[in-house]
Amino acid sequence: MLTFRVEKLVPGGYGLARTERGVVLVKGALPGELVRGEPKWKKGTLFLEAPEILEPHPARYPEPLPPSADLPLAYEAQLPLKEALVSDALERVAKLEAPLAPIHPSPRPLAYRTAAQYARHPLGGLAYRLPESRELHRLEEDPLLAEPLAWAFDVLKLWPLPVEEVALRGSLLEGKVLLGLVGGVPEALKRPAKALVKEGFAGVVWAEPSPKGRFRGRVTPLAGERTLLEAFGPLKATVSVESFSQVNPLAAGDLLEEARTLVLGGRRALELYAGSGLFSLLLSPRYEEVVAVEISKEAVRRGEMDRNRLGADNVRFLRMDARKAEALGAFDLVVVDPPRAGLSPEVRAYLKETRPREILYVSCDPATWARDVGALVQGGYRLAFARPYEFLPFTHHVEVLSLLRL
C-alpha cells in the first residue's frame, strides 16, 4: 500500500504522482491531494483506479456527480487546470512556445448537457456503465443535464422499458427531447413509444445494438419527430438522437462566433469531419464555394436540410471519408474538427501538399491537436491563434479553437 501526493492533472483525467515505485496515474484524484492505495501495472504503467483520499483538495466539489464527471472540483478551479493541459501539450508535444488566449468558460457549469446515454438497470431506473469494468452505477439524478433532459431522466427512471440503453437528445431552443431506445424488439416497443410521445417526448426511435457503437446498426423510427432545431450561437441547425452534435450548444455557439472572426474569406473553403456542416454553413457568406465532407449518412442528411432551410446554395455536402480529400484539390481555407485521434496521416499529407492559406483546426484532444500542429508548423505554417474552450465542465475534456496560416 502506497501513500503519496498527486502532482498534477494529465491527459485522460488522471492525477500524476511520482512515487518510490515510479510514476502512478490516479483516477479521480486532484492535484495536491494525499491519497492511499495499491497501484497495479497495466500496459507498462502503474494505475490506481480507486484511491482513498486522505487529504482532499480544498476546492473539491461537495455535491453528488455522475461517474463521468472525473474532475470533481469547484468550477473556477477547473479552468486553469484545463488551460494548463493545452499549454503543456503545445510545449511538450508540438515543441512550440506560442501564446494561448485565455480559456473561454462554459456559459453554464452545470445543467449544460443536451445529450446523454444511460443503461437500463436490471433493478429499474437508469445507470452509468463504467468504461473499464462495464459495471452499472445506478443514478438518481444527473446535475449535468440541461432542461428538458432532466425532466426526461425523471420520467424514464419510472418506465420499465425492455431495452438495454436509452439515449437522449434535447433542444434548448425548442424545449423538447428526442429518445433513442437501444436493444429490445422494435415491434414490442411501438406502443410504449407512442405513449412516451403523449407523455411529452418529441420523438422516439429504436436502434439495433452494434459492436461498432450506438446507432451504427439498424435504426427504426417508432413515433413522433426525428429531428429538432437547436441554436448554436449565430446558427440554428437540426439535431437528432442518431448522430453526433455538440452536447453543450451554448459553449459551441460561442466558439462558432469567434471562429468566423478569425478567417480571411476567399474563393473556396473545405470542411473535413464536417458532421452536419456547422462551420460550412457559418462561413458560407465569406466564400464563393464551400464543400463539407462527412462520412455519416444521418449527419449529411441533417446538413442538407439545414442548407436548404438557410438558402446556403454555395454549400455542397459530400458523403465520403476525409482521408480521400486529395481528390478534391486545393482550397483557400480548410476547416478540420476531427475525432480524438486527430488528423489521419492522409489528411496531414493532403494539407502539406495543397497548402491552403488558412487551416481552422478545432480539437477535442490537446495531445493529438499539438501533434498535428507541430507537424504543420514544420511544414511551413505558423500558429496564428489558439484558445482553449470549456465544453464539458466537471470532466477533464477541453476543446481547442486554433488557426494556422502560411
Side-chain angles (χ1 to χ4, degrees), residues 101 111 167 228 336 399 405:
L228 300 174
V336 291
E399 206 88 1
R405 283 196 177 120

Side-chain angles (χ1 to χ4, degrees), residues 24 50 66 104 110 162 167 178 221 258 264 331 358-359 370 373:
V24 179
H104 186 97
L110 292 166
L178 298 169
E258 182 163 38
L264 296 172
F331 291 81
E358 295 181 307
I359 301 171
V373 166

Side-chain angles (χ1 to χ4, degrees), residues 30-44:
L30 301 171
E33 291 189 328
L34 187 69
V35 303
R36 181 166 58 200
E38 188 58 47
K40 298 189 183 305
W41 288 99
K42 185 170 63 175
K43 297 181 180 178

